[in-house]
Amino acid sequence: MTPTPYRALAAAAVAVALALTAPAAPRASAQPAACAANGFCEDFESQTGTTPAGRWTTAVANCSGTGTATVDTTTAHGGTKSVRVTGKAGYCNHAFAGTSLSDVPSGGDLYARFWVRHTTALPAQHVTFAALRDANDNGRDLRMGGQNKALQWNRESDDATLPAQSPAGVALSTPLPVNTWTCLEFRLDRTAGRLDTWVNGGLVTGLVVDGTPTQDVDQQWLNRGGWRPAPGDLRLGWESYGEGDDTLWYDDVAVGTSRIGC
C-alpha cells in the first residue's frame, strides 16, 4: 500500500529527529589544520628523551613521591610515542606532564581534547587525572578525574563536584574504560561559566554546567555564584587522595578555541 503524504512526512520527520539526537560517532584521530593559529596540538613524536620536554614540564606542586611521568615508546594512540604516567596512591605521589596555555587566546570558549588509556578502573575514592590551575580561583585547580568509579569534575577550592556524588548523580556520569584508548573532550566557556564534557564524541549528561541548577548534576557546583574559570595551564597525570594506583598513557592532545573532535 502506498503511504499517504501525511505518513511520508511523519516518517521523514522521525528520521530527521533521530539523526539530530544520535550521539556523534568518534572520528579517527586527526590534528586540526587550524590548531596552530588558536592553540596547539601535541602528538609527542618530536620528544627525544624520556622526560617530557619542550612545552611540557613534570614539575608538581606541594610534594612528590614515587609517581612518574615519562615519554613512552611501547604504547601510543597515533605514531610511536605517548606520555606514560605511573600513578601511585597517596597525595604526595602525584605525577603530571603539564603545559602553559599562554598561547591560547583568553576569554570565551576553551576546548581541549586528549586520548587516554589506563589499566585500572577508577576507584571509589577521589582521584584526578587532568588539572587546570585557575587564576580566577586563587590559583586552585579545576580537576577532572573520578569518584565512585565514574568520571567527575572537582573544584579544589570548595570541593564541589560535577555531578553531585549522589547515586542519581553518579548514574548520570560514566566510567573511564580500561585497556583501550578513550577520547576525552571538554569545553570551558570562560565568559559565562559553562562546562561541557564528551567521551568518544558523546556528551555526558552528568558532566555539564549549563547555568541552570539541576539537582544531582550542577546544583552544588552553581551554589557558589560567579564561577568564571581562567585556566593558565593543562596538566595530565595522576593525583590520588587515598586509594588508587593506576598506569595511564596520554596522546594526541589538542587545545584551541573551537571544538576539535576525536
Side-chain angles (χ1 to χ4, degrees):
M1 180 172 65
T2 303
T4 67
Y6 299 106
R7 287 179 179 174
L9 286 171
V14 169
V16 169
L18 289 173
L20 291 174
T21 56
R27 303 198 306 266
S29 173
Q31 302 295 357
C35 77
N38 65 1
F40 66 89
C41 298
E42 177 64 79
D43 59 10
F44 301 109
E45 295 303 300
S46 64
Q47 298 286 325
T48 58
T50 57
T51 301
R55 67 177 301 129
W56 298 89
T57 176
T58 56
V60 294
N62 303 314
C63 56
S64 60
T66 58
T68 59
T70 58
V71 177
D72 186 58
T73 58
T74 66
T75 303
H77 175 257
T80 62
K81 297 178 182 179
S82 65
V83 164
R84 170 177 170 152
V85 172
T86 302
K88 297 297 184 180
Y91 178 70
C92 276
N93 287 317
H94 54 214
F96 289 89
T99 182
S100 170
L101 299 180
S102 61
D103 52 350
V104 182
S106 60
D109 286 341
L110 172 73
Y111 285 84
R113 190 279 317 278
F114 58 90
W115 289 81
V116 60
R117 180 186 180 103
H118 73 139
T119 61
T120 306
L122 295 174
Q125 294 186 22
H126 181 203
V127 294
T128 291
F129 56 75
L132 304 96
R133 186 166 290 108
D134 186 355
N136 283 351
D137 200 8
N138 296 315
R140 308 302 290 274
D141 280 345
L142 174 62
R143 307 184 288 203
M144 184 183 198
Q147 191 168 350
N148 286 314
K149 304 181 181 181
L151 293 171
Q152 72 151 10
W153 286 93
N154 172 273
R155 194 164 52 203
E156 181 186 10
S157 60
D158 61 357
D159 208 31
T161 65
L162 179 78
Q165 292 303 293
S166 62
V170 173
L172 294 172
S173 185
T174 184
L176 182 64
V178 297
N179 299 318
T180 187
W181 286 101
T182 299
C183 176
L184 291 181
E185 300 175 82
F186 63 85
R187 175 188 77 112
L188 278 174
D189 182 338
R190 294 169 288 185
T191 301
R194 308 288 177 85
L195 172 62
D196 294 311
T197 314
W198 297 267
V199 175
N200 288 333
L203 186 67
V204 181
T205 303
L207 302 178
V208 172
V209 177
D210 62 6
T212 301
T214 300
Q215 186 175 351
D216 297 310
V217 182
D218 62 352
Q219 185 175 40
Q220 179 196 56
W221 195 271
L222 292 170
N223 278 343
R224 190 180 77 186
W227 180 64
R228 300 294 184 270
D233 67 359
L234 171 65
R235 284 165 285 135
L236 304 173
W238 189 251
E239 189 169 283
S240 168
Y241 311 100
E243 64 176 334
D245 287 3
D246 203 352
T247 302
L248 309 95
W249 290 264
Y250 297 90
D251 203 356
D252 292 329
V253 182
V255 177
T257 56
S258 58
R259 189 174 175 191
I260 298 149
C262 295

